[in-house]
Amino acid sequence: SYNLIRLEDIRLHLGKNLAEVDQPHPADRTLTSILQYNHQDGTLHLPLQDAPAPIALAELRAEGRVFPALRQTALQRVLAVLCSAGDRAQAMQQMQAWFQQKPNPTSVPDQALEPPQGRDPPLHRAEQEWEESLLTDAALCAWISRNLTDEASRQRVVEALAGEARPLAYAKAALVASLGTRMSHGVS
């Protein structure tokens, strides 16, 4: 279930890095309005550090990132632990402790693994081991499979994630269209 939203009064610089933002460029393209899809319940906020915050996707490279970043597979592991926990407070503490142990991939450059299909940034062995220390690949695959095949399980996960979501708080956002509902299986 998604909302198509128009964001106004923004500055999205295309084809520039952060050091070039304030410098004129012959091919300067700056957008002041964009369309984006947001989940109807909002953005997932998890307390991986001090307070709940959005989680950035590490596969999307950024300079000066404010929020914690996880690879998609690591985020799926976090969600599996959170949504499967009987005691949410204990699960949150487990995730915070796990996140504090996150290795710095620049400290192990000689241990890079080959990126799958050459698309994602290389995953370092230490990072892979860290991800799997929260939940093994087999357990993650079982959790994903269960949510694809067991409707009751899927609904519990959707409700749990909705409880961790916060609505978009941008004053110059306008709803263009809504697609689906929280319990939709797919949105066409």
Side-chain angles (χ1 to χ4, degrees):
S1 62
Y2 292 91
N3 289 330
L4 179 60
I5 296 182
R6 178 185 312 279
L7 299 180
E8 299 288 348
D9 197 23
I10 63 163
R11 286 181 35 189
L12 179 62
H13 302 280
L14 304 177
K16 290 184 171 184
N17 65 38
L18 291 176
E20 299 170 330
V21 166
D22 293 323
Q23 300 173 5
H25 190 275
D28 187 13
R29 292 205 45 217
T30 302
L31 301 178
T32 58
S33 174
I34 62 167
L35 294 172
Q36 73 173 36
Y37 286 102
N38 285 11
H39 194 275
Q40 288 174 358
D41 288 318
T43 302
L44 187 65
H45 281 59
L46 295 175
L48 294 181
Q49 294 174 322
D50 297 329
I55 306 301
L57 293 178
E59 288 89 347
L60 302 175
R61 295 183 183 180
E63 293 179 28
R65 180 172 271 147
V66 176
F67 300 114
L70 290 175
R71 294 173 54 86
Q72 290 183 54
T73 53
L75 182 54
Q76 289 171 342
R77 291 172 206 279
V78 165
L79 298 179
V81 168
L82 175 66
C83 294
S84 303
D87 182 343
R88 291 179 72 75
Q90 184 178 5
M92 292 291 191
Q93 289 176 347
Q94 177 187 4
M95 287 187 297
Q96 285 177 337
W98 171 78
F99 189 74
Q100 290 173 359
Q101 300 300 315
K102 184 177 181 185
N104 179 359
T106 59
S107 66
V108 286
D110 57 331
Q111 296 181 358
L113 299 175
E114 288 299 314
Q117 296 146 7
R119 296 182 329 184
D120 291 334
L123 181 63
H124 297 267
R125 289 191 202 306
E127 214 173 352
Q128 182 179 26
E129 290 168 3
W130 170 76
E131 282 188 15
E132 290 181 17
S133 72
L134 182 65
L135 190 70
T136 66
D137 283 346
L140 176 61
C141 288
W143 181 77
I144 291 170
S145 179
R146 185 170 49 255
N147 290 300
L148 291 172
T149 59
D150 180 345
E151 182 61 20
S153 178
R154 186 184 79 82
Q155 287 182 5
R156 283 190 302 275
V157 168
V158 169
E159 291 299 329
L161 294 180
E164 302 299 332
R166 305 294 178 269
L168 176 67
Y170 182 65
K172 296 190 179 182
L175 178 64
V176 175
S178 291
L179 306 167
T181 65
R182 181 185 290 171
M183 292 301 171
S184 295
H185 283 275
V187 177
S188 299

